[in-house]
Amino acid sequence: MANGLYGETLDMTMEIREICDKVHVAETGYIHVEVFQDLKENVSLINVKEHQTKDSLIMFGEHSLPPEPANEEIQEICDQVKPQVEKNTGNKYEEFMANEYRSQDDADGINYLIKVHVGEEDDYIHLDVFRNLGGKVSLTNVQAHQTKDSPLEPF
């Protein structure tokens, strides 16, 4: 089974089992373990996501799929970066309404891809925003000239 940037999902090997045995998990819990195998077939632990369920999507390094409807928290993030967006695009936006978003956990915070409605019926922009663990929000990038149907993908 293909798994995005990471290639195939493979069966557990003894090396991976040894790494997993070092991670403490409650008997009824699930974790996602990201490991790296080099060309010499040495295996090392890259990342562990705890508190997963049996049906959780396995995602490391990718934004959540599919996009989720924007909520009050996402609108607040958009409101915080609006001045930066206007400076970056050279436009003043009377309407600046978050429509949907995807998120990606990072060791230092959360990356967001956000689709924002900015005016006319089909006038949207995409924002790439980072919120650090301290809660500080910063604009990473803006993609103008988007539509309601434009896919919300990393850019």
Side-chain angles (χ1 to χ4, degrees), residues 78-96:
C78 290
D79 293 343
Q80 290 178 45
V81 299
K82 182 180 178 187
Q84 292 173 276
V85 172
E86 290 178 333
K87 183 177 179 181
N88 186 293
T89 63
N91 293 317
K92 287 281 186 194
Y93 299 108
E94 289 185 32
E95 181 171 347
F96 203 76

Side-chain angles (χ1 to χ4, degrees), residues 14-142:
M14 189 54 116
E15 292 87 358
I16 295 171
R17 166 53 72 196
E18 289 171 6
I19 289 171
C20 292
D21 286 344
K22 295 176 185 175
V23 179
H24 181 314
V25 180
E27 288 183 25
T28 59
Y30 288 85
I31 62 170
H32 293 169
V33 179
E34 180 180 18
V35 296
F36 174 76
Q37 183 174 19
D38 65 21
L39 296 175
K40 295 181 181 178
E41 298 189 3
N42 297 313
V43 178
S44 57
L45 179 66
I46 303 296
N47 197 353
V48 175
K49 288 191 178 182
E50 299 181 86
H51 311 295
Q52 303 297 307
T53 67
K54 182 178 180 180
D55 298 322
S56 297
L57 291 174
I58 298 175
M59 292 178 21
F60 289 102
E62 296 182 18
H63 288 81
S64 57
L65 287 174
E68 300 176 45
N71 55 35
E72 187 175 313
E73 175 187 11
I74 300 303
Q75 183 62 51
E76 288 173 8
I77 290 170
C78 290
D79 293 343
Q80 290 178 45
V81 299
K82 182 180 178 187
Q84 292 173 276
V85 172
E86 290 178 333
K87 183 177 179 181
N88 186 293
T89 63
N91 293 317
K92 287 281 186 194
Y93 299 108
E94 289 185 32
E95 181 171 347
F96 203 76
M97 187 65 77
N99 179 267
E100 64 183 10
Y101 75 101
R102 294 171 63 191
S103 61
Q104 174 192 38
D105 291 334
D106 183 278
D108 299 319
I110 301 174
N111 294 302
Y112 294 95
L113 293 176
I114 307 170
K115 181 178 287 200
V116 179
H117 186 240
V118 292
E120 300 298 318
E121 183 178 324
D122 206 27
D123 195 7
Y124 289 80
I125 60 174
H126 292 175
L127 307 180
D128 186 351
V129 178
F130 178 72
R131 183 174 63 191
N132 70 20
L133 295 174
K136 183 178 182 217
V137 174
S138 58
L139 179 69
T140 304
N141 205 350
V142 179

Side-chain angles (χ1 to χ4, degrees), residues 1-9:
M1 169 193 335
N3 191 10
L5 300 172
Y6 296 94
E8 294 182 38
T9 300

